[in-house]
Amino acid sequence: MQGGAIAQFIPLILIFAIMYFLLIRPQQKKLKQHQEMVKALRRGDQVVTQGGLIGKVAKVKDDNEIEVELSQGVTVRVVRSTIAQVINKTEPAQAKG
């Protein structure tokens, strides 16, 4: 009887394993990449927000907020996590010496 009970759970275990490798794991990987991208934002990067606005990072205010310049003289405060994509990364300034 014990063997029959275990045999009934094997398909459920296989379904969970397939769901993990096809859905959960790639989503966690994508989330980690997004967090790294957002953490690496700095002044001068051209970004796209989740609302579809394209602008340039004018100022990194704190851990959760940045200022994005949409056009000359028009800046908006944006929550970092709403940045969907970085179009152009600025290169770090080289140390003089």
Side-chain angles (χ1 to χ4, degrees):
M1 281 213 158
Q2 285 256 338
I6 293 174
Q8 289 178 340
F9 286 110
I10 289 176
L12 290 173
I13 294 169
L14 288 174
I15 289 171
F16 179 76
I18 291 169
M19 294 292 280
Y20 176 77
F21 284 107
L22 292 179
L23 296 174
I24 298 169
R25 192 166 174 245
Q27 189 173 0
Q28 288 175 337
K29 192 174 183 181
K30 187 176 178 183
L31 179 64
K32 187 176 180 181
Q33 287 174 339
H34 181 262
Q35 288 173 340
E36 290 173 3
M37 175 196 70
V38 169
K39 191 175 183 181
L41 283 174
R42 64 175 176 262
R43 189 171 183 247
D45 291 350
Q46 192 170 8
V47 296
V48 178
T49 66
Q50 289 180 353
L53 299 174
I54 300 174
K56 191 175 278 192
V57 176
K59 184 178 181 183
V60 179
K61 296 190 81 153
D62 58 22
D63 288 343
N64 194 30
E65 191 177 305
I66 60 173
E67 282 188 8
V68 177
E69 184 177 20
L70 300 176
S71 67
Q72 192 170 11
V74 179
T75 58
V76 292
R77 291 171 38 198
V78 178
V79 176
R80 274 186 185 232
S81 61
T82 62
I83 299 298
Q85 181 181 1
V86 177
I87 298 173
N88 291 331
K89 286 286 289 170
T90 56
E91 294 298 321
Q94 296 295 324
K96 293 181 181 178

